[in-house]
């Protein structure tokens, strides 16, 4: 467990860089696919830089990773006015 926690700490800046380097689509399924791809980019970069292998046995929760790491400036929202105009 400690090894996994340390790995996640080492991986975090790589995830931030990978997730911040792409334009995120509005379609949820495409976001998940892109998150899986960028997660792999981060893992590969960490391994290339310091030679640490991912000790985790299963894929992390991509939806929570998207919610945490996708820059808000790429989130498309619509503001709806309610009430008198």
């Amino acid at each position: 467990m400690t090894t996994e926690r340390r790995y996640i700490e080492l991986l975090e800046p790589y995830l931030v860089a990978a997730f911040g380097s792409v334009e995120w689509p509005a379609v949820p399924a495409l976001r998940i696919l892109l998150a899986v791809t960028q997660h792999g980019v981060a893992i590969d970069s960490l391994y290339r830089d310091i030679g640490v292998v991912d000790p985790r046995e299963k894929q992390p929760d991509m939806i929570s990773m998207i919610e945490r790491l996708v820059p808000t400036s790429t989130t498309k929202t619509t503001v709806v006015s309610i009430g008198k105009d």
Side-chain angles (χ1 to χ4, degrees), residues 32-82:
I32 292 170
L33 181 60
L34 185 55
V36 170
T37 301
Q38 293 308 102
H39 182 257
V41 167
I43 288 173
D44 292 345
S45 296
L46 176 60
Y47 179 76
R48 187 177 51 252
D49 287 353
I50 61 176
V52 177
V53 177
D54 189 351
R56 299 172 296 178
E57 293 182 15
K58 64 179 188 174
Q59 187 90 334
D61 179 7
M62 286 297 144
I63 293 174
S64 65
M65 194 176 293
I66 290 168
E67 291 171 350
R68 185 171 57 83
L69 294 172
V70 172
T72 56
S73 63
T74 62
T75 304
K76 296 182 179 178
T77 58
T78 304
V79 178
V80 178
S81 177
I82 300 176

